[in-house]
Amino acid sequence: MQGNFSYYNPTKLYFGDESLNYLKDELKNFGPVVLLNYGGGSVKRNGIYDHVTAILKEAGKTIVENPGVMSNPTLEKLHEGVKIARENNVDFILALGGGSVCDYSKGVAASVFYDGDYWDMFWLNQQNPPVGQKILPVGCILTMAGTGSEMNGGCVITDAEKTFKVGHVFDERLMPKFSILNPKFTMTVPDNQMKAGIYDIMNHIMEQYFSDFDNNTSDYLSEGLMRGLITASRIAVKNPQDYEARSNIMWTATWALNTLIGLGKHQDWMVHMIGHSVGAWTHAPHGYCLAAVSMAYYRRAMQPGLAKFVRFAKNVWDINGDGMTDEQIAEAGLDALKNWMLEIGLPLTISEIGATPDMIPGITEGTICYPAGYMDLKPEDVTEILKESM
Ligand code: NZQ
Ligand code: ZN
């Protein structure tokens, strides 16, 4: 363990099938006008909306509704939310949905009191709100497992006009004040989104795991999380109503990206950089975009990161390795990863999710490149990875 770090995560979590009971008490901590952000209607169809609005009304809150937060929320929708929050003097933002709604709520919360071009400041220039700026508090009722947005400062927004998707990780002021995680709420998530979420979780862990060669506590935690996720995913894909598997997936998602397992590590995140650009062009679920470029990326990273890929093969996939070279062991680990992805039904190519060869220059251009993990990718390498992923 060699890196320097500080650790602070202020989000309070309520987990389990009774966790919504705690909303009433949490609401006492915030002002009377609540901006309720939610997505395209799943929360109305499965009844969660009715439960939540009843609790809000019972607590005497004024509800300002902002429906229609789309998957991969857009800049245009961000502007709309900021306007609604300003016009209604909102005191508190309640996100009711998946990672998109949670991310979006943080974006609105950061921007409402920013006196300037918030898109330029927070996303294009990757700055945090100035010290002393008022920020609306955010609470989150999560309905889908995957992003970890419920316990981090991440906020990914798509500029649809420019076909550019970019995330900013805000400081702890934007982390949700509380998050309610009821695995039962995830039972109605469509099959493709459940699988996309599972791979998003796996890839968050891999992005942090595949960097450095020191003996790092974070890597041991990551290996445990990956093993648990693989086991739970196999059960959930066969029986999506399995509460234990769905709850393990939900809890793993939170720990995969609440900053803990990245501590003391350089981290990678290039699969996410490429995947975000693929998402801006295809509008496919986030986790699918990651899955579709992963094999080409990791096969390329294997040689410079060989020792870690050997460890991945042995400790995550139980590759015995007797009589094999390091390259053979590492390749067997990547084959095991690929077989698991096939087994649970993930796309392994970008053509499966709607990308066409003419998009490759645009996807390359939209990919933010920096030295990361075991490689320092240049745009021409991204183009190669995309071609190999077709
Ligand atoms: O809009 P509704 O009707 O609610 O439907 C949603 C949406 O279509 C549906 N859904 C969610 N919960 C449901 C449900 N349907 C039925 N029952 C439920 N209980 O699922 C669809 C996908 O939801 P979404 O929130 O878009 O998915 P996800 O949680 O994967 O979030 C994706 C967004 O998060 C960003 C992604 O880039 C993407 O924009 N990310 C955020 C991160 C962070 N904050 O740290 C990190 C990630 O790497 C990621 O980039
Ligand atoms: Zn992700």
Side-chain angles (χ1 to χ4, degrees), residues 28 38 40 66 71 74 76 115 183 186 191 237 337-338 348 354-355 359 375:
K28 292 178 188 151
Y38 56 96
N66 182 20
S71 197
T74 63
E76 197 185 0
D115 191 16
T186 70
D191 188 62
V237 163
L337 170 68
K338 182 179 167 183
L348 289 178
M359 292 180 184
M375 296 191 291

Side-chain angles (χ1 to χ4, degrees), residues 194 198 201 225-240 242-252 340 344:
M194 178 186 75
I198 288 169
I201 302 165
L225 290 172
M226 286 190 271
R227 292 181 71 96
L229 178 68
I230 294 160
T231 301
S233 69
R234 287 179 164 143
I235 297 167
V237 163
K238 286 204 188 94
N239 177 16
D242 188 301
Y243 180 82
E244 191 174 77
R246 296 305 286 266
S247 57
N248 281 331
I249 290 170
M250 195 172 207
W251 192 224
T252 307
W340 169 73
I344 68 166

Side-chain angles (χ1 to χ4, degrees), residues 146-148 156 165 196-197 199-201 203-204 207 257 269 271-272 276 286-287 290:
T147 64
V156 185
K165 182 173 181 180
Y199 191 73
D200 193 21
I201 302 165
N203 195 250
H204 291 162
E207 296 273 30
L257 197 51
W269 296 105
V271 169
H272 268 69
H276 280 167
H286 168 66
L290 307 173

Side-chain angles (χ1 to χ4, degrees), residues 223-301:
E223 286 161 357
L225 290 172
M226 286 190 271
R227 292 181 71 96
L229 178 68
I230 294 160
T231 301
S233 69
R234 287 179 164 143
I235 297 167
V237 163
K238 286 204 188 94
N239 177 16
Q241 301 305 311
D242 188 301
Y243 180 82
E244 191 174 77
R246 296 305 286 266
S247 57
N248 281 331
I249 290 170
M250 195 172 207
W251 192 224
T252 307
T254 303
W255 286 94
L257 197 51
N258 69 358
T259 71
L260 178 83
I261 61 165
L263 295 175
K265 294 191 57 95
H266 285 101
Q267 311 185 24
D268 191 337
W269 296 105
M270 276 311 297
V271 169
H272 268 69
M273 294 302 107
I274 305 171
H276 280 167
S277 195
V278 170
W281 282 82
T282 62
H283 311 290
H286 168 66
Y288 274 15
C289 299
L290 307 173
V293 300
S294 279
M295 289 319 299
Y297 181 83
Y298 288 116
R299 290 210 185 279
R300 189 175 275 249

Side-chain angles (χ1 to χ4, degrees), residues 32 110 151 176 178 198 248 302-303 312 390:
M151 203 180 184
F178 67 87
I198 288 169
N248 281 331
M302 192 192 95
Q303 208 45 256
F312 177 68
M390 278 306 294

